[in-house]
Amino acid sequence: MRNKGISALVCAGVVAGAAALGATPAAAAQTPTAAHQEAAAPGKKSPSSDIRERLERIPGMTVVSVADKEGHPLYTLTYKQLVDHRRPHGATFTQRATLWHKATDKPTVLYTGGYTLAGGTTALTKLIDANQVSVEHRYFAESRPKGAAGDDWSKMTVEQEAADEHRLTRALRTIEKGKWLGTGASKGGMTATYHERFYPRDLDAVVAFVAPNDANNRDDSGYERFFRTVGTKECRDALNAVQREMLVRRDVLLPKFEADAEAAGDTFEETLGTTDRAYEFAVLDQVWNFWQSGTAADCPTVPDAKQATDDELYSWSKGHGFSVYQDETLGTNGTGPYYRQAATQLGWADLAFKHLKDVRHYPDIYQPNSVLPAAMRGTYDNRTIADVDRWVKKRGQRMMFIYGENDPWSAEKFTPSRHDSYRYVVPGANHGASIAKLPAAEQAKAVATIKRWADVK
């Protein structure tokens, strides 16, 4: 996710996760309060203090702090993980996680944002009144190996993160004894699906929201078909005209972009290289981001590309999908780890942009290696994602996928198997698609399925 826009090349799991799962802010308190210190007989420990002791007895687990959240303890944790799970005696790092504990016999939701540690409560957690474990993805924020190991991007893989979550899940299942359901939105939904594929006995079910599935990175026909059919022809034509005009007027609009970049302190030398390249990349993202974050109701706001003034065209674009990629948020401490994964395993939408061919300066720029520092770039290999795709179709059990009809990320979907697994598409929804937005009959069926999986009456 970008601070100044959401890109078609970055699966916006942090934002989409909050929207699709109904995240609410975590409590700010850093010490336990009477609200979650359950009554205990004189001379006996309270149940909450017992949970803390049990957490601290798990090898490699540290309780960093405990806060009160809605009357229950929220434990902030770190857990020692192997940098390379194939080398049990190799280097380690600490992965951040939280546990919102209610009762050991309640179900537990494992929430993977896919990026940094998410601080909200998922709608799934609320629906089944569950405990919630949130986990930070390896190599993001504070869950990154130190020293030379942290610069070894070959360990930033789907398989290694699945192994992280496998170990964490098995450790915490010694405490939380109810059913376990994995969830996440966008990249978080992908991560939950990958966990299920490699460790299908860890979780009792998975509910993934708007999880892209680029099983064949050479075939982008699903994305191309989406942009030929989404919304109305009038809206599609108007958006394409604005996008084209932004490049036709490059000589006039680029100085505006450069002035904004200077005012914000944005630089591009380590990644895209020049302001001209950064400007073109931002324009290429416009239409994707319009549909990812907006709806058909926004179509009347699209200006007449030929009649709009330079200021009108540029101002509207900045408010509707013009994503700025700058060095400050693309490196190791920002969204760079995601782009590394996209470049090597997850894939990306390499759109044709036929309406822009004669006004583009950089025909090969629209791919994740373009926005990565040189040391983080990698070579694509689709074997793992293709394997996951086949496994979900044929062998996955108790898996549910929720997509948005007007979400470009939902153009390439997971296809669930016939083993008690389901897929729903929310009419008219964007990247914030949720169960709550499904038609009533489908919503009731999805909710009933989840409650059955969680063994909740």
Side-chain angles (χ1 to χ4, degrees):
M1 186 189 76
R2 303 287 294 114
N3 292 332
K4 298 188 178 181
I6 302 172
S7 148
L9 286 178
V10 64
C11 194
V14 179
V15 169
L21 298 170
T24 55
Q30 292 300 308
T31 57
T33 70
H36 69 262
Q37 291 288 2
E38 303 171 51
K44 290 187 177 181
K45 298 175 182 177
S46 70
S48 58
S49 63
D50 177 64
I51 294 298
R52 177 166 189 159
E53 288 186 3
R54 293 175 68 182
L55 287 168
E56 290 175 334
R57 286 199 298 268
I58 295 174
M61 185 78 72
T62 299
V63 177
V64 177
S65 65
V66 59
D68 176 80
K69 181 174 179 177
E70 300 175 22
H72 300 286
L74 174 67
Y75 299 97
T76 298
L77 311 168
T78 62
Y79 188 50
K80 184 180 290 187
Q81 296 279 17
L82 289 162
V83 174
D84 185 351
H85 289 278
R86 297 167 300 181
R87 298 181 178 276
H89 303 294
T92 63
F93 73 100
T94 55
Q95 187 170 41
R96 288 198 302 171
T98 59
L99 167 62
W100 187 32
H101 173 78
K102 297 178 182 177
T104 57
D105 59 349
K106 284 184 177 292
T108 296
V109 168
L110 176 64
Y111 175 31
T112 306
Y115 297 88
T116 58
L117 183 61
T121 303
T122 77
L124 191 61
T125 303
K126 296 176 183 178
L127 175 66
I128 58 177
D129 189 25
N131 307 305
Q132 181 176 307
V133 175
S134 300
V135 58
E136 185 166 80
H137 198 293
R138 62 164 44 210
Y139 282 73
F140 280 92
E142 297 179 32
S143 298
R144 185 184 172 203
K146 305 297 183 184
D151 296 325
D152 182 2
W153 294 100
S154 67
K155 305 304 183 293
M156 176 57 162
T157 68
V158 163
E159 296 91 336
Q160 295 284 359
E161 172 64 19
D164 290 342
E165 294 183 20
H166 166 66
R167 292 188 67 250
L168 181 65
T169 299
R170 301 313 296 178
L172 292 178
R173 286 199 81 148
T174 63
I175 297 174
E176 309 297 6
K177 300 294 188 179
K179 299 289 186 180
W180 276 61
L181 280 72
T183 196
S186 195
K187 185 172 182 289
M190 298 162 75
T191 306
T193 301
Y194 303 149
H195 179 178
E196 176 69 7
R197 186 270 171 265
F198 291 108
Y199 300 96
R201 296 182 181 180
D202 279 1
L203 305 170
D204 296 286
V206 166
V207 182
F209 295 83
V210 292
N213 178 36
D214 198 350
N216 182 357
N217 196 49
R218 294 181 178 179
D219 180 8
D220 288 315
S221 58
Y223 295 119
E224 297 288 358
R225 183 165 51 253
F226 173 88
F227 287 107
R228 290 196 305 269
T229 58
V230 63
T232 64
K233 184 178 186 303
E234 292 74 17
C235 189
R236 296 193 300 272
D237 288 348
L239 287 167
N240 286 345
V242 166
Q243 191 178 35
R244 179 179 173 82
E245 197 68 16
M246 288 286 286
L247 293 180
V248 168
R249 302 191 201 180
R250 184 194 302 252
D251 289 347
V252 177
L253 299 181
L254 180 59
K256 296 180 183 293
F257 175 81
E258 290 172 334
D260 285 348
E262 183 176 1
D266 294 341
T267 61
F268 310 101
E269 287 79 6
E270 296 297 320
T271 52
L272 282 159
T274 67
T275 54
D276 193 50
R277 287 170 61 85
Y279 176 80
E280 181 166 311
F281 206 107
V283 171
L284 296 179
D285 258 355
Q286 279 190 256
V287 177
W288 183 295
N289 291 339
F290 177 90
W291 291 111
Q292 175 174 308
S293 303
T295 69
D298 298 311
C299 287
T301 72
V302 183
D304 184 318
K306 295 296 185 182
Q307 299 299 320
T309 67
D310 296 336
D311 286 340
E312 289 170 342
L313 190 67
Y314 187 68
S315 295
W316 184 87
S317 295
K318 286 203 301 180
H320 296 83
F322 188 77
S323 297
V324 181
Y325 290 72
Q326 71 275 70
D327 296 338
E328 291 74 14
T329 55
L330 285 170
T332 58
N333 295 321
T335 53
Y338 163 74
Y339 291 106
R340 165 71 192 199
Q341 281 194 284
T344 56
Q345 286 189 304
L346 305 184
W348 62 93
D350 188 11
L351 303 177
F353 297 112
K354 291 181 179 179
H355 62 296
L356 305 177
K357 281 190 179 298
D358 60 330
V359 290
R360 291 179 65 181
H361 289 177
Y362 313 103
D364 299 322
I365 199 175
Y366 201 63
Q367 47 101 2
N369 274 328
S370 294
V371 298
L372 283 171
M376 295 180 66
R377 295 168 192 164
T379 302
Y380 180 75
D381 184 337
N382 86 316
R383 285 177 293 181
T384 297
I385 304 306
D387 167 78
V388 174
D389 174 66
R390 290 190 296 268
W391 186 88
V392 170
K393 285 179 183 176
K394 296 180 179 180
R395 300 181 61 186
Q397 298 184 41
R398 295 179 299 281
M399 303 187 76
M400 183 181 293
F401 298 92
I402 312 297
Y403 290 102
E405 178 189 24
N406 289 351
D407 170 29
W409 283 113
S410 296
E412 293 198 353
K413 308 175 183 66
F414 280 103
T415 299
S417 75
R418 298 181 180 180
H419 306 305
D420 196 12
S421 296
Y422 311 91
R423 184 172 74 189
Y424 296 97
V425 178
V426 182
N430 59 18
H431 205 49
S434 68
I435 291 173
K437 296 176 183 178
L438 282 169
E442 290 187 330
Q443 181 184 145
K445 183 178 179 181
V447 168
T449 299
I450 291 169
K451 288 186 174 181
R452 171 170 59 81
W453 286 344
D455 198 18
V456 170
K457 305 300 181 183

